[in-house]
Every structure is written in structure tokens, then in C-alpha cells.
Amino acid sequence: MKPNAGCSRLWLVGLAIGMSLLSACATVSSESAIGVCPPVVEYSQAEQAQAADEIASLPQNAVIIGWLSDYSVMRDQARICMR
């Protein structure tokens, strides 16, 4: 047995582990799966106008304004997910 046989065996084991980890990523599809994206509820122009009026009447430091901003981002993300 050569003195470097153990080193080459470790290298092969490391290569096998690395390849198996990389191949696991290859099984994931970049396309959106059916049923994974949340539905985006559509609101009428009248509902949007009423919501805008109600938001305008809130104090500027109202917590709900920040929450609605987060909700807007999530709706945009859901739209992108459905593409």
C-alpha cells in the first residue's frame, strides 16, 4: 500500500459528499408549484377609494399604516409567485 493511499481515499470521500450535496440542489425547480402561491384578493376601485379615505383619517403614527405597508409587499410577492 502506498503512503498516500489514505489521503486519496479521503479526497474521494470528500468529492462524493460534495457531489451529493450539489446534486440535491438540482432537484429543485425554479418554476412555481401549483398551490404553493397564496391567492391575491382583488379589490374594486370603490373599496380601494374607501380604504384610502379611511387610512387618510388615521393619525400618522398609527401602527396599522405600517402593517398595511407590509401587506402590500406580501401581495406583490404573491403576484410574482403566481407568474
Side-chain angles (χ1 to χ4, degrees), residues 55-66:
I55 291 169
S57 69
L58 294 171
Q60 283 187 332
N61 61 349
V63 174
I64 191 72
I65 294 173

Side-chain angles (χ1 to χ4, degrees), residues 18-39:
M19 293 304 292
S20 67
L21 291 173
L22 289 174
S23 65
C25 294
T27 61
V28 177
S29 173
S30 62
E31 295 181 19
S32 63
I34 297 172
V36 174
C37 301

